[in-house]
Amino acid sequence: DLKYVVGMFRRFFAQEGLSRVLRAITQQKTATAKVDMPASDLKFLFDVLDEDDDGTLSIKEMVQHGALEVHEALYLSERLDKGQDGEISLAELMSLVTGHVGSEFVDSMKGLFAAKR
């Protein structure tokens, strides 16, 4: 079934993207790590991995859907979770390419990615 194959490809792409994010953060070991990935790719991987559509990536989603080990997901959350709520928001993930997190940035991203899923 073509829909199944496309879904698997989307999942694989998102998993690879999350692995790239993890590698970038691990290698840079700075408070302001950057990842060489377009914002559109980060948005895509976020949308694919956010299975419950709550606007955040939980440890469970990063492990079950993002193919990370638990300790890797915990490390990502520790490094990116500025809100200290145990989950990674899109704005927190986007800080890897923009260098800042805030409502102004989130508002600007809404227009850029207004297309429906």
Side-chain angles (χ1 to χ4, degrees):
D1 178 48
L2 182 59
K3 188 174 182 177
Y4 174 78
V5 172
V6 170
M8 293 302 293
F9 177 75
R10 289 170 49 91
R11 176 75 47 105
F12 175 77
F13 184 81
Q15 290 170 346
E16 285 299 306
L18 193 59
S19 292
R20 284 180 57 195
V21 168
L22 177 65
R23 280 193 305 273
I25 290 174
T26 302
Q27 291 171 355
Q28 294 176 33
K29 296 190 191 285
T30 64
T32 55
K34 299 287 178 238
V35 63
D36 184 23
M37 183 183 291
S40 59
D41 286 356
L42 282 175
K43 170 73 168 114
F44 175 83
L45 81 85
F46 185 89
D47 287 342
V48 169
L49 299 177
D50 183 18
E51 286 281 317
D52 60 7
D53 293 323
D54 69 348
T56 61
L57 293 180
S58 66
I59 300 299
K60 180 180 176 182
E61 287 169 325
M62 288 187 278
V63 172
Q64 288 183 345
H65 307 295
L68 294 183
E69 297 293 326
V70 172
H71 71 276
E72 294 170 328
L74 287 168
Y75 181 74
L76 266 183
S77 181
E78 179 183 301
R79 292 291 305 274
L80 296 178
D81 181 18
K82 304 301 181 210
Q84 299 297 308
D85 58 3
E87 298 185 335
I88 299 172
S89 69
L90 178 59
E92 290 166 338
L93 186 63
M94 287 295 183
S95 71
L96 293 170
V97 292
T98 64
H100 60 82
V101 176
S103 60
E104 181 181 309
F105 171 71
V106 172
D107 290 341
S108 69
M109 293 305 290
K110 286 179 185 173
L112 183 60
F113 296 107
K116 294 190 183 248
R117 293 183 205 193

